[in-house]
Amino acid sequence: MSNYLLSRIGQAAIVLLLAFAASFLLLQALPGDAILIKYQNPEMGLTPEQIAEIRVLYGADAPIWVQFGNTVWNFVQGSFGYSVQAGVPVRDLIAVNLPATLRLSSLGLVAAIALALLVAFAATLAPLRWLRSLIASAPSLLAALPVFWIGIVLIQIFSFRLRLVPVINPNEFQQLVLPVATLAIPIAAPLAQVFIRSLDEIEAQPFIAVVRAKGASRAWILFRHMLRNAILPVLTIAGVLFGDLLAGAVVTETVFGLNGLGRVTEQAVSNQDTAVLQAIVVLAALGFVFVNLLVDLAAPLIDPRLNRKIGAAA
Amino acid sequence: MTVTTLARDSAEVLADRILDIEDLSIAYRESGQARRVVHGVSFSVAAGEVVALVGESGSGKTTTAQAVIGLLAENGEVEAGSIRIGGVEVSSWNDRRFNAIRGKVVSLIPQDPGASLNPVMTVGKQVGEVFRLAGQRGEAHIRELVISLFERVGLSDPALRYDQYPHELSGGMKQRVLIASAIALRPRLIIADEPTSALDVTVQRRILDLIDDLRRETGTAVLLVTHDLGVVADRADRVIVLRHGRIQETGKTTDVLEKPTSDYTRQLLADAPALAESAYREAPSATDPVLSVENLIKDFALGRGQSFRAVDDVSFSVSAGTTHAIVGESGSGKTTTIRTLVGFETPTGGEVRVLGQAIDKLRPDALRQLRKTIQLVHQNPFSSLDPLMSVEKIIEEPLLNFERLSGAERHVRVRETLDRVGLHADLLQRRPRALSGGQRQRVAIARALVLEPRILVLDEAVSALDVTVQAQILRLLVDLQERLGLAYVFVTHDLAVVRQIAHRVTVMQAGKAVETGAVRDVFDNPVSPYTRDLIAAIPGGKRSPFTRPRRRR
Amino acid sequence: MTTLDLSKPTTALKSRVQLVKWPRLEPTLVLSWLVIALAIAFALAPQLFTPHSGTIGLAGNQLKPPSAEHWLGTDEIGRDVFARIIYGAINSLSGALIAVTVGFTGGTALGLIAGSSRRVVDDTIMRLVDTLLSVPGLLLQLSIIIILGFGTTNVAIAVGATSVASFARLSRAEVIRVRRADYVEAAFGSGGRFLNVLWRHVLPNSLGTVLAYAALQFGVAILAIATLGFLGYGAPPPIPEWGLLIAEGRKYMTTSWWLTVFPGLAVILVVLAANRISLALRARS
């Protein structure tokens, strides 16, 4: 077991290091030099010598492997360099904006899970067959909606038509309810799709017929037999959902004009502020790898068959 | 029918008929159309009786049985007729009403024990669930009930089993667990849907004995669904023969088996290897072997320096024009043995010689050339043919690998071969999907034959097929052997088939060859106790041509 | 029993029809193909579908709600919204096409090599693929855009590059599944050489699922391109790209709902159609 854990962590570290190297090569070593973009601006009136000095200050003149080594070392220490555009350390920028995004996305995730469970249970337990298939097809419709469009339409309906959510001087709940819904819908859709498909596959298994032959009701079968079997395929997309959640936060924060990491990301791209984007990309990869590691460790708790395989491998 | 007989009949129903099916028709709704699969079937099952529903695939036997316990697929529907359980009409019941009698009055022993238990729940909990659904409470109390049930169905260490998961049990043990939950509430009728087809013969016999014993103790009636006339001969009081959803024949088992009245039943009996009267095949005069296996050993690495010996010192040889059978239960190493014969596995030790060449010492291209001589036919014709290719392309492919022939020449060879395996040229442009199982296996045989090899290796080549189709393919194989002088290595789990087709046989158990010899000698005077066990376990003892001890009671 | 007699020839006919596997007409699938066909027609010959211009507005015609003259209303400088959607089709569709082509060729090649090579090669490729997958799609797209710069083609390439990893994963899994199939072993058993078997059996049989996934990715790409367009990294105004239309319409959403709703519906319809077609392709393979 501990052997398995170690090799799994080792794999995660390799992926992370590769991601880091790739992002470094793409964003730092290739053109799009943020320093030049900012300081070559004629309005600043800097001489080429002064620009070169600034480049030395930022470490941009060193050989590439030195830069790479420096960057890795700085990242490990928690220093992500300077935002060229904002002129503040990237770490501060992230620290200031992280809480808001964390709050938005965790609320969005909870809402998405609740929504997905609701749809999946309804699609399994609804009394009529056509009603079940109708409910089961809802997620694929939701998955086709662009996130930003959901946000705009929600604002139009709830703020402008129904006037339920004020745009000006909203309280905290009013400020968050629409963004959370906007974020939750596109996350809930694939979640529900995978969950419903997985429930369907489990329902077709012979052992479900055996449980039915014992006289168990649909609800009994769903909660005592299908749920635990069906949850594993859902967990395997957790990493992807984590990414979707971040992407959703970028769009949602932009649409609703909220401050947060998403907004920072969007502005970093617009201003070609590579240091900021690189820090966010690496942190996102770290989060992804961490989430998947958790899933892998949790899986044997859900399915005892995986336990045996791990035991055999270790 | 007069009013008085009707009244008498219904009185009888109330007295002792557990199950009474009358004029039952069932259809499946597929894309708006109803496809009827059961047509006007009537029969009944009395208390304590074992009634067998026998038929090949598509006969409607399983559908009928599913309707009795209300477990038809969602698109299935009882169109007409009645199903009465203990005199109560249930055919129009919905799921909720059925739940009142499931487990308590009617229960189910399913087909495939491997897939019939929830993989993420302990088996004790799964059996205990029957009591919970019946309204019993108390963790300790239910645990006690389950453990005593486990004892009754002959599970070793019942208290230990309670907390185990299905993957920790063998197939036979899983089936015992399922039987435990089927008998837990002492139902009046047990539906046993092919309860042993997924199990090895020796396990099959023990499970059927168990069902027999429990039935005798409790007086429960059993509706036994099976394709195996041997099982019917041993176990059923009465039998109903189904074909395409219609009853062909019904009656007492002994009557039906000894004096069948319908042609179809006669055909089934003639084709069932376990029941068929046929002499041992006489071997042609011995010639030099075309294939010889000496002290073959095959290990599989399990990682961390450990390994598993799948084949342990097996030797035999095969002469032209003869069939050598390799028989054994699952995990005996029979499939690994033949995969080394055709070069899909390399032996760890020992030697395989094909026409005098040691095949493990061949370079890749020489091995490829050798394939003109030795060909493998896979077990499952549903997976061994490329679904995207036409029959013509499939049979033609080996020719493309070896011979520089023009398109016209290839076409002629393909048609000759197709003819040889008894298929019509109409099928040339069909895809495998549009063929029946028997036709597919003929195509697979044609593909193996088109290079005109000397040796065919057949891996359970008939076990995925219905008995009548199986008999046709076996006849084809014997016929081809006599015409072309082929040598066969025939792998099977079915000793009855061995007796029909093979000249010599190797019995394998746990990787070892426990017995090798002429089929007649092995059957008449088995040396190893394992072979004796295997022979005794062939179902159909009451009518079997083999002389063997009565089964254990 | 005349009804029975009448029914007989029709059932015989039906069984023959099923024998040649005539595809049954499924209304939603037909509708999906129609949507795609219409979108392609919009892209190829927009002038056939609208008399209005996609880029030049009419003075005095600003922010009019949907009417008989302007079916989907007009925008802030008097341009017909329907015309803008029609003229915008080319940007969305060609972008999605480039994206899927990049992802499909890159991913399938990687997957095929990984799935049919030795362990070392397979492991190396798959670790790289894992790495690509570890960065959330949108962030990866933004990283590529920051290097390549803004614009329709660059956005399309970024979206395509993001899907390389998932294409590679799927096609590798398919290749491995097919390689384990009995008919592939049978092909080796009848003397087939490695490349022959790969070409005759493995490739055709793994392609079906991958093509279905490509159709699905077409929808995903439309969405992703619209999102990047909305964020302002795609085509610059006044080019009528669907995501950009919504971004521009946002400024007037208090008064003119049609500016955001209709371009959004265009995106949704195409995505739904692509998903439905993908489903049908997957069922066939």
Side-chain angles (χ1 to χ4, degrees):
Chain A
M1 187 69 203
S2 62
N3 268 351
Y4 169 77
L5 187 65
L6 282 179
S7 82
R8 194 63 197 72
I9 289 175
Q11 258 182 13
I14 291 174
V15 164
L16 213 57
L17 199 67
L18 280 172
F20 188 85
S23 77
F24 172 82
L25 276 179
L26 289 176
L27 296 176
Q28 231 167 308
L30 288 174
D33 194 327
I35 299 164
L36 289 183
I37 289 169
K38 186 173 177 183
Y39 295 101
Q40 266 181 342
N41 191 339
E43 281 171 26
M44 294 188 136
L46 293 174
T47 63
E49 290 74 35
Q50 284 171 306
I51 291 176
E53 241 170 74
I54 293 169
R55 283 173 63 87
V56 173
L57 196 69
Y58 280 104
D61 64 331
I64 186 158
W65 54 88
V66 176
Q67 284 191 46
F68 181 67
N70 285 342
T71 321
V72 172
W73 181 237
N74 289 338
F75 262 72
V76 171
Q77 290 177 316
S79 159
F80 305 140
Y82 282 85
S83 160
V84 182
Q85 204 62 35
V88 294
V90 175
R91 181 169 54 181
D92 296 353
L93 203 61
I94 288 174
V96 168
N97 286 290
L98 188 63
T101 304
L102 224 47
R103 189 175 57 168
L104 174 66
S105 45
S106 50
L107 286 175
L109 184 64
V110 170
I113 291 174
L115 188 61
L117 286 179
L118 200 71
V119 173
F121 288 165
T124 314
L125 292 179
L128 299 164
R129 200 176 161 208
W130 63 266
L131 189 62
R132 287 202 292 273
S133 55
L134 189 76
I135 296 170
S137 64
S140 56
L141 179 71
L142 293 182
L145 306 182
V147 186
F148 57 94
W149 189 80
I150 297 174
I152 292 171
V153 169
L154 285 181
I155 295 173
Q156 275 175 347
I157 294 174
F158 290 99
S159 296
F160 299 145
R161 300 270 144 198
L162 303 177
R163 297 183 186 285
L164 288 175
V165 183
V167 193
I168 299 148
N169 288 331
N171 62 31
E172 198 170 352
F173 171 78
Q174 287 165 336
Q175 195 185 4
L176 273 175
V177 62
L178 291 185
V180 167
T182 304
L183 192 56
I185 288 172
I187 303 288
L191 203 58
Q193 272 177 316
V194 172
F195 197 40
I196 288 174
R197 196 183 316 142
S198 154
L199 284 172
D200 276 352
E201 272 163 21
I202 296 298
E203 199 173 12
Q205 299 263 321
F207 79 81
I208 295 297
V210 172
V211 183
R212 285 180 70 197
K214 291 173 182 168
S217 65
R218 281 189 82 86
W220 177 292
I221 293 172
L222 173 64
F223 289 109
R224 292 182 188 237
H225 288 274
M226 287 161 64
L227 213 53
R228 193 162 158 198
N229 276 291
I231 211 84
L232 207 56
V234 179
L235 276 185
T236 57
I237 64 160
V240 177
L241 287 182
F242 171 79
D244 286 352
L245 211 54
L246 278 184
V250 173
V251 175
T252 309
E253 286 174 7
T254 309
V255 170
F256 288 91
L258 301 170
N259 286 323
L261 272 193
R263 205 68 186 295
V264 170
T265 311
E266 187 251 341
Q267 280 159 4
V269 177
S270 300
N271 302 326
Q272 304 223 308
D273 200 343
T274 46
V276 176
L277 188 63
Q278 189 186 11
I280 288 171
V281 164
V282 171
L283 285 180
L286 184 70
F288 177 91
V289 166
F290 183 66
V291 167
N292 275 349
L293 198 61
L294 281 187
V295 167
D296 282 1
L297 293 180
L301 301 178
I302 292 166
D303 190 337
R305 285 169 298 178
L306 298 170
N307 229 334
R308 189 178 56 158
K309 277 181 201 147
I310 290 164
Chain B
M1 198 184 266
T2 64
V3 177
T4 46
T5 57
L6 199 73
R8 205 179 59 225
D9 272 7
S10 51
E12 227 175 63
V13 167
L14 294 176
D16 66 329
R17 284 194 193 171
I18 305 290
L19 174 66
D20 205 26
I21 289 181
E22 235 173 278
D23 218 15
L24 181 69
S25 294
I26 302 171
Y28 288 111
R29 210 156 272 291
E30 277 160 11
S31 52
Q33 289 175 339
R35 188 171 55 88
R36 193 178 269 205
V37 294
V38 175
H39 305 262
V41 164
S42 307
F43 66 92
S44 62
V45 180
E49 203 182 19
V50 180
V51 174
L53 272 178
V54 186
E56 299 184 284
S57 47
S59 63
K61 56 185 194 301
T62 295
T63 301
T64 307
Q66 283 170 337
V68 172
I69 193 166
L71 290 180
L72 279 178
E74 212 168 351
N75 61 339
E77 189 186 350
V78 174
E79 287 197 322
S82 74
I83 303 170
R84 283 193 293 277
I85 294 173
V88 184
E89 174 65 48
V90 301
S91 60
S92 60
W93 280 12
N94 62 14
D95 231 33
R96 202 171 301 166
R97 288 191 76 181
F98 250 115
N99 278 341
I101 64 163
R102 286 178 185 151
K104 303 171 195 73
V105 183
V106 193
S107 69
L108 175 77
I109 300 174
Q111 183 159 15
D112 177 5
S116 293
L117 288 166
N118 185 344
V120 301
M121 196 188 244
T122 61
V123 292
K125 276 227 165 90
Q126 294 190 56
V127 176
E129 183 177 51
V130 181
F131 296 111
R132 281 201 186 87
L133 283 163
Q136 303 216 34
R137 290 289 170 267
E139 194 72 32
H141 168 63
I142 287 174
R143 192 184 170 98
E144 229 165 80
L145 287 174
V146 172
I147 289 176
S148 73
L149 262 179
F150 279 177
E151 233 160 85
R152 265 185 81 199
V153 298
L155 276 169
S156 56
D157 292 322
L160 173 76
R161 301 289 168 240
Y162 188 94
D163 292 312
Q164 283 186 311
Y165 287 95
H167 71 264
E168 297 169 300
L169 307 183
S170 70
M173 285 155 88
K174 281 182 218 168
Q175 195 58 297
R176 283 174 200 270
V177 169
L178 287 158
I179 290 172
S181 58
I183 62 165
L185 301 176
R186 297 178 166 262
R188 297 177 66 196
L189 174 66
I190 294 176
I191 295 168
D193 183 4
E194 302 264 15
T196 55
S197 342
L199 303 173
D200 281 328
V201 268
T202 50
V203 185
Q204 166 175 19
R205 184 174 64 149
R206 287 196 289 272
I207 295 290
L208 289 172
D209 282 346
L210 172 65
I211 296 176
D212 251 5
D213 292 345
L214 294 169
R215 178 184 64 87
R216 233 184 304 281
E217 277 170 42
T218 56
T220 302
V222 175
L223 180 62
L224 178 66
V225 179
T226 182
H227 68 284
D228 188 340
L229 277 173
V231 169
V232 174
D234 283 352
R235 312 284 169 174
D237 300 315
R238 286 193 302 121
V239 55
I240 294 139
V241 181
L242 281 174
R243 186 196 195 192
H244 299 328
R246 293 176 210 277
I247 293 185
Q248 300 295 311
E249 184 158 0
T250 105
K252 282 203 169 122
T253 305
T254 45
D255 292 349
V256 171
L257 295 187
E258 273 158 30
K259 298 188 283 292
T261 55
S262 75
D263 290 343
Y264 179 66
T265 313
R266 267 195 288 277
Q267 177 78 46
L268 273 185
L269 285 169
D271 289 342
L275 302 177
E277 307 277 347
S278 70
Y280 297 118
R281 289 185 72 193
E282 293 301 332
S285 51
T287 51
D288 281 343
V290 289
L291 173 76
S292 66
V293 175
E294 268 161 53
N295 309 108
L296 178 69
I297 291 171
K298 176 66 190 177
D299 292 340
F300 287 110
L302 294 176
R304 303 231 294 166
Q306 293 177 319
S307 70
F308 165 72
R309 184 150 289 188
V311 180
D312 190 0
D313 193 19
V314 170
S315 308
F316 61 90
S317 65
V318 190
S319 305
T322 69
T323 301
H324 189 98
I326 300 178
V327 69
E329 297 184 295
S330 49
S332 62
K334 55 187 195 299
T335 299
T336 311
T337 304
I338 58 158
R339 288 176 61 82
T340 54
L341 300 189
V342 292
F344 286 146
E345 304 283 357
T346 38
T348 311
E351 203 170 50
V352 175
R353 286 180 171 276
V354 175
L355 296 179
Q357 284 179 289
I359 89 162
D360 57 312
K361 305 205 169 51
L362 293 178
R363 300 186 147 276
D365 199 63
L367 178 65
R368 209 177 68 78
Q369 291 299 330
L370 195 71
R371 300 205 186 282
K372 282 193 280 193
T373 314
I374 183 165
Q375 281 283 312
L376 174 72
V377 177
H378 285 87
Q379 169 172 15
N380 186 350
F382 290 83
S383 63
S384 67
L385 306 178
D386 188 333
L388 297 178
M389 283 190 168
S390 67
V391 168
E392 174 159 26
K393 291 260 178 277
I394 290 170
I395 302 178
E396 183 187 42
E397 190 184 347
L399 292 176
L400 296 171
N401 292 330
F402 289 107
E403 303 186 31
R404 293 240 167 88
L405 296 175
S406 71
E409 285 169 313
R410 282 200 305 269
H411 189 66
V412 171
R413 284 278 288 275
V414 168
R415 292 194 63 148
E416 274 172 14
T417 315
L418 199 68
D419 193 48
R420 218 167 248 171
V421 298
L423 288 179
H424 199 271
D426 285 357
L427 301 180
L428 277 177
Q429 296 315 318
R430 294 250 189 105
R431 299 282 161 90
R433 196 173 34 200
L435 303 179
S436 69
Q439 285 173 326
R440 287 178 200 218
Q441 198 57 296
R442 282 170 197 263
V443 171
I445 293 171
R447 171 177 58 192
L449 286 180
V450 76
L451 290 171
E452 299 176 347
R454 307 271 303 271
I455 308 162
L456 274 197
V457 178
L458 301 129
D459 181 10
E460 299 265 11
V462 293
S463 51
L465 306 171
D466 278 328
V467 264
T468 50
V469 183
Q470 179 176 343
Q472 288 163 10
I473 299 287
L474 289 175
R475 278 196 290 274
L476 172 72
L477 288 173
V478 169
D479 179 54
L480 287 169
Q481 184 168 55
E482 279 163 8
R483 279 201 287 160
L484 306 173
L486 293 166
Y488 291 153
V489 179
F490 191 96
V491 168
T492 182
H493 66 279
D494 190 345
L495 268 180
V497 171
V498 172
R499 199 180 54 94
Q500 265 188 332
I501 188 170
H503 300 100
R504 295 178 62 79
V505 59
T506 295
V507 180
M508 289 188 69
Q509 182 194 19
K512 289 197 163 65
V514 295
E515 191 149 356
T516 297
V519 170
R520 181 196 297 275
D521 298 340
V522 170
F523 273 76
D524 292 350
N525 301 303
V527 180
S528 90
Y530 180 69
T531 313
R532 275 198 289 276
D533 256 12
L534 271 187
I535 295 176
I538 302 177
K542 281 181 191 165
R543 262 185 52 88
S544 169
F546 312 128
T547 48
R548 59 182 179 82
R550 300 287 302 166
R551 70 195 151 82
R552 184 181 60 83
R553 273 284 140 96
Chain C
M1 275 290 146
T2 44
T3 47
L4 216 159
D5 287 339
L6 274 174
S7 71
K8 257 192 178 153
T10 46
T11 50
L13 191 74
K14 262 184 194 126
S15 66
R16 186 159 327 136
V17 164
Q18 285 199 329
L19 213 108
V20 292
K21 280 279 165 195
W22 202 255
R24 237 166 358 93
L25 285 184
E26 291 170 78
T28 53
L29 185 57
V30 174
L31 210 64
S32 301
W33 279 114
L34 279 179
V35 167
I36 297 291
L38 196 65
I40 292 174
F42 282 176
L44 294 179
Q47 67 281 3
L48 294 182
F49 296 91
T50 176
H52 305 288
S53 160
T55 40
I56 301 162
L58 289 172
N61 204 20
Q62 289 93 334
L63 294 175
K64 289 269 158 53
S67 62
E69 172 69 5
H70 300 284
W71 292 357
L72 306 184
T74 61
D75 71 3
E76 73 278 10
I77 51 172
R79 293 173 295 196
D80 181 82
V81 173
F82 189 43
R84 302 243 323 135
I85 290 175
I86 289 173
Y87 279 93
I90 183 75
N91 293 308
S92 290
L93 291 196
S94 61
L97 197 65
I98 293 172
V100 172
T101 311
V102 168
F104 181 82
T105 44
T108 315
L110 279 180
L112 198 63
I113 294 169
S116 51
S117 305
R118 277 174 307 144
R119 182 92 190 267
V120 193
V121 181
D122 184 16
D123 278 357
T124 312
I125 292 180
M126 289 327 286
R127 277 299 89 75
L128 289 176
V129 165
D130 282 350
T131 306
L132 270 179
L133 284 175
S134 73
V135 179
L138 184 69
L139 290 184
L140 191 57
Q141 287 156 9
L142 295 180
S143 310
I144 295 170
I145 288 169
I146 218 175
I147 301 162
L148 297 180
F150 299 169
T152 324
T153 318
N154 290 346
V155 161
I157 291 171
V159 170
T162 308
S163 67
V164 165
S166 52
F167 267 109
R169 235 192 199 184
L170 179 73
S171 52
R172 172 179 175 272
E174 275 298 289
V175 166
I176 286 176
R177 179 185 67 83
V178 175
R179 269 188 80 179
R180 289 206 190 109
D182 280 351
Y183 58 80
V184 168
E185 189 175 272
F188 283 119
S190 56
R193 292 185 183 86
F194 182 77
L195 284 178
N196 282 339
V197 176
L198 200 68
W199 178 250
R200 282 185 205 145
H201 301 280
V202 178
L203 203 59
N205 278 291
S206 12
L207 217 54
T209 312
V210 182
L211 279 178
Y213 187 69
L216 189 73
Q217 280 300 315
F218 187 82
V220 172
I222 296 263
L223 271 181
I225 289 170
T227 302
L228 294 170
F230 172 81
L231 292 173
Y233 309 137
I239 294 178
E241 194 275 328
W242 291 347
L244 187 61
L245 292 191
I246 299 172
E248 292 170 347
R250 233 180 106 201
K251 294 167 218 151
Y252 307 91
M253 69 180 166
T254 30
T255 53
S256 314
W257 56 270
W258 55 91
L259 291 182
T260 46
V261 168
F262 290 121
L265 286 179
V267 171
I268 293 165
L269 278 179
V270 174
V271 172
L272 279 176
N275 291 355
R276 179 67 188 83
I277 289 166
S278 163
L279 204 66
L281 287 176
R282 197 168 53 200
R284 258 186 46 193
S285 70

